[in-house]
Amino acid sequence: MTWAIPAIAAMLLAFAAISRKVAGTPLTASIAFTAGGLALGAEGLGLIEVDVTDETIKLLAEVTLALVLFTDASNVDLTALRPEIAVPARLLGFGLPLTIAAGFGAAVLVFDDFGWPEALLLAVILAPTDAALGQAVVTLPALPTRVRQGLNVESGLNDGICVPLFLIVLAVARAESGAIGGGSAALLVAEQIGYGILAGLGAGAVAAAIVVVAGRRGAIDPLWIQIVPVAAAVLSYTIAVPLGGSGFIAAFVGGLAFGAIRRRVGGELSHMIEESGDLFNAVTFIVFGAVLLGPALGHLSWQVLVYAALSLTVVRMVPVALSLVGLHARGPTIAFLGWFGPRGLATIVFVVLIVEESGELPHENLLLTTALVTIGASVLAHGLTAAPLADRYAAWFRGHPRPETLHIEASGEKPGDVRPRVDDGGEQ
């Protein structure tokens, strides 16, 4: 650890110095930090040498995901989102389950040694997406609003949806391997979900009440109002864990409760928590490259490479295409939405949680290597293609505008029953 912290700090400073120049280019922050981690890690210069089981790694990953989950959940405004709900609802309601099913099927086909619990666990680990890896895709104003919103909301909510699924499948896999009994696994999952929900509701409601009551009385300083959501995210997590609950579920539910209540007073409260999340996210990707990805690259096999390729293409893109049936999305829109499903932070945290209980799965090393290599491939592939493909898709959309009126289906709907097209409504 002697040189790890100064090396990480120096990397953050170096990227900050060029951050505006590289914005909108294929050199994304995730690529820069992952590559820097690889260069400075044990497989490179050896400046960042931290044991993967070190408590610091676990704490960093968990704090980062907790902040991101709370932020994403607190920003969900279903009322404001209603005009754009079609795409994220389809991606989460149909695309996510189909992606897990496809990932499971691919794992069974590619890995002969995997039992069904490990195959399903790998599919769940790689199901959540991370929009931050292709930032241009969700920030470029020229892109259709429904496309940007769809990918952004999908990324914001699927982490929270996948956390309980991950806990359930991990418990089943551990029970199947004999690491824990079936009854113990069921009790563990029930406690993690139940206490997580209760802790999140309590912490989120208390924090929101402070904002509402103190805000109406003018008793809260503008600086401290920015600190409230950060403290609420930490409170949600740290109440749940000692009780035996999932801190991630608590952070997500806490964000939902906080956002739903505090929205009554309006105002922007996410500035500090978003910046804190960005900082921790950057450090997490440096550590990912140095401590996790570097060693994983030494255990490559054809099965790992094949599955990684399938996970980023067929396993994601076919379910997305199926989930959009009936929305009259055109081919380029379907391909664009399908391709940009980057794997990132949530998958890294799931890997760290498995490493924490190392040795409880029969093919643990192969499973973790596959997940880590898939993340690394996603960081590179989605980072390099985000800006150019976003520009290209935006140019195509401008050249092929939809009519202003929404399409009325010809399958028996009444004249007032309309369904929005996926790529209607974008900025022209």
Side-chain angles (χ1 to χ4, degrees):
M1 287 287 289
T2 304
W3 290 104
I5 293 177
I8 291 171
M11 196 179 305
L12 294 172
L13 290 172
F15 187 80
I18 61 170
S19 55
R20 190 169 184 178
K21 295 290 185 181
V22 301
T25 73
L27 179 60
T28 63
S30 301
I31 290 177
F33 292 134
T34 300
L38 280 170
L40 298 180
E43 310 299 317
L45 299 177
L47 295 180
I48 303 178
E49 291 189 285
V50 184
D51 191 279
V52 70
T53 59
D54 192 294
E55 188 67 20
T56 306
I57 303 296
K58 176 176 177 287
L59 180 62
L60 169 66
E62 291 186 352
V63 168
T64 305
L65 184 57
L67 290 174
V68 170
L69 286 171
F70 190 95
T71 304
D72 290 341
S74 64
N75 286 334
V76 174
D77 185 349
L78 294 179
T79 301
L81 185 63
R82 190 171 295 131
E84 313 290 349
I85 199 66
V87 176
R90 292 295 192 94
L91 292 176
L92 293 168
F94 297 99
L96 181 59
L98 290 173
T99 296
I100 293 173
F104 169 73
V108 170
L109 291 175
V110 173
F111 299 107
D112 295 332
D113 296 333
F114 277 3
W116 72 264
E118 288 180 306
L120 183 57
L121 182 60
L122 180 60
V124 172
I125 288 172
L126 289 169
T129 58
D130 187 350
L133 270 65
Q135 193 67 22
V137 174
V138 293
T139 58
L140 187 66
L143 290 175
T145 305
R146 284 194 177 94
V147 171
R148 285 191 287 114
Q149 284 277 56
L151 290 172
N152 203 24
V153 174
E154 178 201 19
S155 173
L157 295 183
N158 62 12
D159 291 354
I161 295 171
C162 286
V163 166
L165 295 178
F166 168 76
L167 296 174
I168 293 170
V169 176
L170 178 60
V172 171
R174 292 169 65 191
E176 285 287 318
S177 68
I180 58 174
S184 298
L187 178 61
L188 178 65
V189 170
E191 289 179 344
Q192 288 182 317
I193 295 176
Y195 285 129
I197 292 174
L198 290 175
L201 287 173
V206 168
I210 290 172
V211 171
V212 173
V213 176
R216 286 174 178 170
R217 296 178 178 177
I220 187 167
D221 185 271
L223 171 62
W224 282 93
I225 201 171
Q226 292 292 329
I227 294 174
V228 170
V230 179
V234 174
L235 184 63
S236 300
Y237 188 92
T238 53
I239 289 177
V241 172
L243 294 174
S246 167
F248 302 127
I249 292 176
F252 187 73
V253 173
L256 290 173
F258 178 79
I261 299 171
R262 76 89 186 165
R263 202 166 287 117
R264 300 174 186 176
V265 299
E268 175 56 56
L269 304 183
S270 60
H271 180 67
M272 181 174 288
I273 193 172
E274 287 182 353
E275 291 187 346
S276 299
D278 288 343
L279 174 60
F280 280 108
N281 195 59
V283 177
T284 299
F285 273 96
I286 295 173
V287 173
F288 161 69
V291 180
L292 296 170
L293 182 59
L297 293 177
H299 297 88
L300 288 177
S301 66
W302 71 265
Q303 290 101 328
V304 170
L305 294 174
V306 167
Y307 189 86
L310 290 174
S311 180
L312 299 181
T313 54
V314 176
V315 167
R316 158 76 182 181
M317 298 179 77
V318 172
V320 168
L322 292 175
S323 70
L324 297 178
V325 170
L327 292 184
H328 304 282
R330 292 171 286 181
T333 297
I334 295 173
F336 189 80
L337 286 167
W339 169 242
F340 283 107
R343 312 312 199 278
L345 179 62
T347 301
I348 293 174
V349 175
F350 291 162
V351 166
V352 171
L353 293 178
I354 293 176
V355 170
E356 183 186 11
E357 305 292 339
S358 183
E360 295 190 346
L361 301 175
H363 305 98
E364 183 176 293
N365 288 336
L366 180 58
L367 185 150
L368 296 179
T369 296
T370 305
L372 291 169
V373 169
T374 304
I375 300 169
S378 178
V379 168
L380 184 63
H382 291 112
L384 291 176
T385 59
L389 287 186
D391 288 337
R392 185 171 179 178
Y393 174 69
W396 169 84
F397 184 77
R398 286 194 299 270
H400 301 78
R402 287 288 197 186
E404 289 299 320
T405 57
L406 299 180
H407 178 69
I408 298 177
E409 296 281 299
S411 56
E413 285 92 336
K414 298 176 183 178
D417 295 335
V418 297
R419 294 182 183 177
R421 296 179 186 270
V422 169
D423 44 359
D424 281 333
E427 290 85 344
Q428 300 298 315

